[in-house]
Amino acid sequence: RKEVEQDPGPFNVPEGATVAFNCTYSNSASQSFFWYRQDCRKEPKLLMSVYSSGNEDGRFTAQLNRASQYISLLIRDSKLSDSATYLCVVTGNYGQNFVFGPGTRLSVLP
Amino acid sequence: DADVTQTPRNRITKTGKRIMLECSQTKGHDRMYWYRQDPGLGLRLIYYSFDVKDINKGEISDGYSVSRQAQAKFSLSLESAIPNQTALYFCATSGGGYWDRGSSSTDTQYFGPGTRLTVL
């Protein structure tokens, strides 16, 4: 089993739609969790950290369920500019390693 | 100016050649990383360094070596390139942050723009 798994996608949604991505991780000792965004042929960039109590940043909401070992990302009112690959990232003990999921590709269609 | 730079941005080489990819950062971070990205496999860690005297192997270090010349510089070498090392290579840095059980770390990684390497 891979350490971090994500919905394979691609997700093709119309503008204005709400879309949710899930991510599961296998290491129960994982300490920190993030969502990164990667545009085609570009470097990954931090979208948001994921806090235990859940957190929201504008149209983006991240949730963490430690008991079930999954993380989710909800995007409301999708924009064309949201089209990208979304990477789930989990860190191990004391942050010596960041483990990346394979990514879920999102295409927002006009 | 970019905080994390990589050179070259693109490189085509032949099997058996020695290749060096360079990474520099102006963020003042102690931690630096090298990843490769292949379609469908995501980012995989090659090597990481927590300071100038600390070098650690990652998930896929075979066929690669690194050098941490200074806090700001971390180089990746392919001693004898082979075609299955064709990939997109990213350097990243992080500041370490702090760790607080029950909440999230402040640590995040910042990536360079990547080097696209093709081995023929």
Side-chain angles (χ1 to χ4, degrees):
Chain A
R1 181 185 173 189
K2 293 182 180 176
E3 282 194 66
V4 179
E5 298 192 72
Q6 296 185 239
D7 292 336
F11 285 59
N12 298 312
V13 303
E15 267 187 293
T18 295
V19 61
F21 304 139
N22 290 319
C23 168
T24 58
Y25 60 95
S26 60
N27 183 358
S28 60
S30 296
Q31 294 293 329
S32 294
F33 311 90
F34 307 90
W35 284 101
Y36 276 69
R37 170 196 168 123
Q38 185 175 23
D39 294 297
C40 188
R41 297 176 182 266
K42 301 282 189 178
E43 72 273 25
K45 293 184 179 179
L46 178 68
L47 178 66
M48 59 195 304
S49 300
V50 185
Y51 301 124
S52 298
S53 56
N55 50 300
E56 187 174 308
D57 183 3
R59 297 181 293 108
F60 299 84
T61 300
Q63 296 282 349
L64 168 63
N65 185 319
R66 285 187 185 269
S68 301
Q69 295 180 208
Y70 82 78
I71 308 148
S72 64
L73 177 68
L74 183 76
I75 305 175
R76 291 181 299 278
D77 189 23
S78 300
K79 310 292 185 189
L80 295 176
S81 58
D82 293 335
S83 297
T85 296
Y86 291 83
L87 305 172
C88 174
V89 184
V90 175
T91 66
N93 295 339
Y94 309 111
Q96 68 269 37
N97 61 314
F98 288 71
V99 182
F100 285 76
T104 299
R105 188 155 59 88
L106 171 66
S107 292
V108 181
L109 308 173
Chain B
D1 287 341
D3 293 321
V4 184
T5 57
Q6 292 182 233
T7 55
R9 294 293 311 279
N10 289 283
R11 182 72 185 267
I12 300 174
T13 191
K14 294 181 179 179
T15 298
K17 294 292 187 181
R18 184 177 186 275
I19 298 296
M20 179 180 286
L21 309 183
E22 300 189 0
C23 177
S24 295
Q25 52 111 348
T26 58
K27 299 189 75 66
H29 287 166
D30 287 326
R31 301 183 179 193
M32 298 187 74
Y33 309 77
W34 275 106
Y35 293 90
R36 66 176 279 175
Q37 187 172 37
D38 300 274
L41 294 179
L43 283 154
R44 292 183 291 167
L45 183 63
I46 305 172
Y47 272 94
Y48 63 101
S49 169
F50 279 7
D51 64 42
V52 175
K53 297 180 181 179
D54 176 76
I55 303 288
N56 304 280
K57 292 183 177 180
E59 178 187 354
I60 52 163
S61 59
D62 287 349
Y64 300 94
S65 62
V66 291
S67 173
R68 186 79 185 268
Q69 302 95 320
Q71 187 206 34
K73 295 184 183 297
F74 192 35
S75 301
L76 176 72
S77 293
L78 288 68
E79 296 300 326
S80 180
I82 55 177
N84 76 2
Q85 291 178 312
T86 293
L88 185 55
Y89 290 84
F90 287 107
C91 172
T93 75
S94 71
Y98 65 86
W99 297 88
D100 180 8
R101 282 189 177 275
S103 69
S104 180
S105 166
T106 60
D107 197 14
T108 58
Q109 287 191 319
Y110 299 87
F111 285 81
T115 295
R116 186 166 295 280
L117 177 66
T118 302
V119 183
L120 302 175

